[in-house]
Amino acid sequence: MRYNKLFPAALLVTGIASLVSCSQNGGADGNLINKDSLSHDVMVLSSDSFQGRRPFTPGETRAVDFIQNEFKSIGLAPGNGDSYIQKVPMVEITPDVSPLMTVQSAKGSFDLKKMEDFVIFTEKTDSVVSLVKDPVVFGGFGIVAPEYKWNDYAGLDVKGKIVMVMVNDPGFYDSTLFKGHTMTYYGRWTYKFEEAARQGAKGCLIVHSTAPASYPFNVVQNSNGGVKLHLDTRSSPQYQLPVEGWITSDAAKKILAAAGKDTTLYATAVHNTFKPVPLGIQLTASIKVKAVFNQSQNVIAKIPGTKRPDEYIIYTAHWDHLGIGKPDEKGDSIYNGALDNASGTAGLIELARAFKTMNPAPERTIVFLAVTAEEQGLLGSAYYAQHPVYPLNKTVAEMNMDVINAYGKTKDVVITGEGQSELEDYLVAEMKAQGRYIAHETHPEAGHYFRSDHFNFARGGVPALDAKGGVDYEGKGTEYGKKLEDDYTANHYHRPSDQYDASWTFEGGIQDLQMLYGIGKKLSGETTWPQWKTGSEFKAIREKSRGQ
């Protein structure tokens, strides 16, 4: 699970459809999800011998072997031809960024300091990537969104230029625009780099501001200042931005002042009449690159459908974590990742066991996909979406597990990014059938919908619903749940202390896994295809892929 997601002890559910009634014959009756086997698998996957399950380490080998052997023992068919493995080519990039970025204008020049004022990085594997007096254009939000009649790049040629853009989307500043305070993908920082690359820019710098970004600048510093894994795109080369990065709001003010502008320029960007503004500024900086190529592995298995084997329902969980790193205050340096995400991986295995006992067998093919390198940027799921074993336009839905509830049952469920697809309506009915209720997302502006592996399926057009069990625990209430959430976030998330605890009951996790099983069972016998709602940024992708 990535740094900028919500971190409750909860289940993230994606690609869910339709109300399910429990039945004696294969229904979600509580006997199909076994607490003992679930707990055992969490304990094994998060043990010290798995070394934190970082890609390219012995921990990866042990995790992949364990998952593959579990799939085989359950009796699942290989998911990638005659193999349970999908190779994921990646590159480890170690950047050496120049300590200063020089800003030149007609008024003179000044320097910005690495990490303090700016953070830049690259996915290119050239030995050196440089900015040499490259011009800067203020590009508003850097968004091209036809469904909102918005194009910040209209009439602009940015080839060889650096685009400076604002974080989030216009709806954060004017609730009548886009989806209001619910962030669209156009507000996500990854989109801004992608669009700048499509436009042929040389670089893109996002102006950081804590409120619209939903996290402070130190998160940017910690996440992008060192070694990172990326997908190896040598076999399918496409244009990549030489330089991606962030600048602080104070650094942006200095740049605007040098251009004879001020932050009132930002207000002009919150209108679809906005026109890009050349700043008359030039930037100089460099990145030396050390690149090491390697391969990681997704693990994939299936239960072939009996009537519609070429229509697919996919369950996913990421098996990776952070490996061995900086010791904590107790001297522990193994980041075990018991909840994040040994629990989700164990849940994936448990669901496979349940579906294998389903009678009658599923009419659609059920796929179980344990993906790599989520912690490095959703890379395993991104590779699958770009190189799908099963066509995305034949994939009905996808369900993802990223941290399952290790404690008691919850009454509430939260849908992230509300308003995306018809699946939300079915989820509401399913939750009511379980005696649970929907609680609205507290920070929709943070864009949590775009921060886990389900998202790579969504951006490929596969309807995906992201939901999480909430904090209203049965018999204990919301204060108890909030304390659990806050304790995990403050003391265990991405720390060596995220370790298996024998006191975990997994009652809430089993509750959610029963729900997932029931939903998948219903989907597997249907002929209908859920749709994206009007206004979703993924609707056109799905319609085009299915010839609608």
Side-chain angles (χ1 to χ4, degrees):
M1 186 163 62
R2 303 189 69 193
Y3 69 85
N4 47 9
K5 294 191 299 197
L6 291 177
F7 317 129
L11 176 66
L12 297 180
V13 182
T14 54
I16 299 173
S18 205
L19 172 63
V20 179
S21 297
C22 300
S23 68
Q24 184 177 2
N25 192 15
D29 59 6
N31 297 321
L32 295 170
I33 308 300
N34 185 280
K35 187 258 186 184
D36 291 336
S37 56
L38 177 69
S39 298
H40 172 268
D41 290 349
V42 174
M43 180 178 66
V44 172
L45 284 163
S46 62
S47 63
D48 283 355
S49 65
F50 280 62
Q51 299 180 3
R53 306 187 308 279
R54 182 179 172 85
F56 306 159
T57 69
E60 167 170 4
T61 301
R62 293 185 179 117
V64 167
D65 286 349
F66 179 83
I67 298 164
Q68 184 175 202
N69 288 334
E70 289 297 298
F71 284 165
K72 288 179 180 178
S73 69
I74 292 167
L76 304 184
N80 188 14
D82 59 358
S83 176
Y84 291 89
I85 300 299
Q86 181 187 39
K87 294 289 187 181
V88 181
M90 294 195 292
V91 57
E92 184 178 74
I93 293 179
T94 304
D96 181 6
V97 178
S98 57
L100 302 174
M101 176 185 288
T102 300
V103 182
Q104 279 188 291
S105 72
K107 296 181 179 181
S109 66
F110 62 91
D111 292 327
L112 300 176
K113 296 181 180 179
K114 179 179 71 173
M115 300 303 286
E116 182 178 329
D117 298 313
F118 72 92
V119 175
I120 59 174
F121 40 93
T122 185
E123 294 187 36
K124 294 181 71 66
T125 57
D126 301 355
S127 59
V128 179
V129 177
S130 298
L131 302 178
V132 182
K133 296 184 178 180
D134 291 310
V136 180
V137 177
F138 175 65
F141 291 94
I143 289 173
V144 178
E147 64 270 36
Y148 296 111
K149 297 180 173 59
W150 199 281
N151 187 350
D152 287 327
Y153 286 96
L156 177 65
D157 181 1
V158 293
K159 291 180 174 62
K161 299 174 183 177
I162 309 300
V163 187
M164 189 172 86
V165 300
M166 297 166 63
V167 74
N168 213 308
D169 65 38
F172 181 85
Y173 303 87
D174 182 343
S175 61
T176 66
L177 299 173
F178 286 58
K179 291 184 179 178
H181 279 267
T182 297
M183 182 196 285
T184 66
Y185 183 51
Y186 299 115
R188 184 78 171 127
W189 59 271
T190 51
Y191 165 81
K192 296 175 188 292
F193 294 149
E194 291 163 5
E195 188 59 53
R198 281 191 287 269
Q199 299 293 331
K202 187 171 183 180
C204 180
L205 296 176
I206 301 172
V207 179
H208 180 270
S209 181
T210 296
S214 80
Y215 42 81
F217 193 68
N218 71 330
V219 171
V220 175
Q221 295 167 320
N222 294 339
S223 300
N224 299 290
V227 180
K228 290 191 69 175
L229 295 178
H230 304 275
L231 292 180
D232 176 4
T233 59
R234 290 177 297 175
S235 64
S236 54
Q238 56 185 349
Y239 182 74
Q240 293 176 306
L241 282 181
V243 175
E244 302 172 347
W246 296 73
I247 56 176
T248 65
S249 56
D250 286 342
K253 288 178 183 178
K254 293 178 183 178
I255 291 175
L256 292 176
K261 310 287 185 183
D262 59 32
T263 56
T264 58
L265 187 61
Y266 298 155
T268 67
V270 191
H271 302 280
N272 61 7
T273 56
F274 168 79
K275 301 295 182 184
V277 181
L279 295 180
I281 296 291
Q282 297 176 330
L283 298 183
T284 298
S286 66
I287 307 172
K288 295 179 181 178
V289 174
K290 178 183 176 182
V292 177
F293 296 91
N294 209 328
Q295 286 189 329
S296 189
Q297 300 165 96
N298 290 334
V299 190
I300 182 169
K302 68 179 179 180
I303 299 173
T306 58
K307 293 185 179 180
R308 290 176 295 284
D310 61 344
E311 296 178 4
Y312 309 96
I313 300 161
I314 300 181
Y315 287 90
T316 60
H318 75 90
W319 58 256
D320 68 297
H321 198 57
L322 302 177
I324 297 175
K326 181 180 178 181
D328 64 8
E329 59 277 4
K330 297 180 180 179
D332 189 355
S333 62
I334 299 177
Y335 290 68
N336 303 83
L339 290 180
D340 184 15
N341 188 34
S343 68
T345 305
L348 182 71
I349 295 168
E350 201 62 27
L351 283 172
R353 291 190 179 104
F355 271 102
K356 191 60 179 174
T357 68
M358 184 173 153
N359 185 18
E363 295 179 6
R364 283 169 162 161
T365 296
I366 312 294
V367 178
F368 304 92
L369 175 62
V371 295
T372 183
E374 188 270 357
E375 302 289 4
Q376 301 291 329
L378 316 183
L379 300 184
S381 57
Y383 185 81
Y384 179 91
Q386 294 168 19
H387 305 84
V389 176
Y390 307 104
L392 296 186
N393 67 353
K394 288 288 190 177
T395 301
V396 178
E398 185 268 355
M399 303 181 219
N400 184 55
M401 288 155 285
D402 194 349
V403 179
I404 68 170
N405 186 351
Y407 303 97
K409 296 180 180 181
T410 64
K411 297 179 181 179
D412 57 337
V413 174
V414 178
I415 298 174
T416 58
E418 286 185 74
Q420 282 288 2
S421 80
E422 295 173 349
L423 302 177
E424 297 171 18
D425 306 327
Y426 297 118
L427 177 63
V428 169
E430 173 63 15
M431 296 299 95
K432 287 181 178 178
Q434 291 191 330
R436 303 165 83 180
Y437 66 90
I438 297 297
H440 294 293
E441 192 176 6
T442 55
H443 293 287
E445 74 280 2
H448 294 109
Y449 186 79
F450 315 114
R451 299 182 181 187
S452 195
D453 286 306
H454 68 279
F455 170 62
N456 283 315
F457 289 84
R459 67 188 298 197
V462 179
L465 180 86
D466 181 24
K468 60 181 180 64
V471 296
D472 188 359
Y473 280 76
E474 291 185 3
K476 296 186 177 180
T478 57
E479 289 304 313
Y480 170 81
K482 288 177 181 178
K483 286 180 181 179
L484 282 179
E485 178 178 318
D486 291 345
D487 176 67
Y488 178 68
T489 302
N491 300 315
H492 306 296
Y493 171 69
H494 280 194
R495 292 173 59 85
S497 58
D498 184 3
Q499 296 182 349
Y500 176 77
D501 187 334
S503 69
W504 287 341
T505 67
F506 286 106
E507 289 179 355
I510 291 171
Q511 175 191 33
D512 291 330
L513 289 170
Q514 290 169 350
M515 175 193 70
L516 282 178
Y517 171 78
I519 292 166
K521 179 186 175 186
K522 180 68 174 178
L523 276 172
S524 73
E526 287 186 337
T527 59
T528 54
W529 291 73
Q531 304 295 319
W532 294 101
K533 291 186 177 181
T534 300
S536 171
E537 52 268 51
F538 311 111
K539 181 178 176 65
I541 300 171
R542 183 63 156 188
E543 292 177 347
K544 181 179 179 181
S545 72
R546 289 190 52 78
Q548 297 174 325

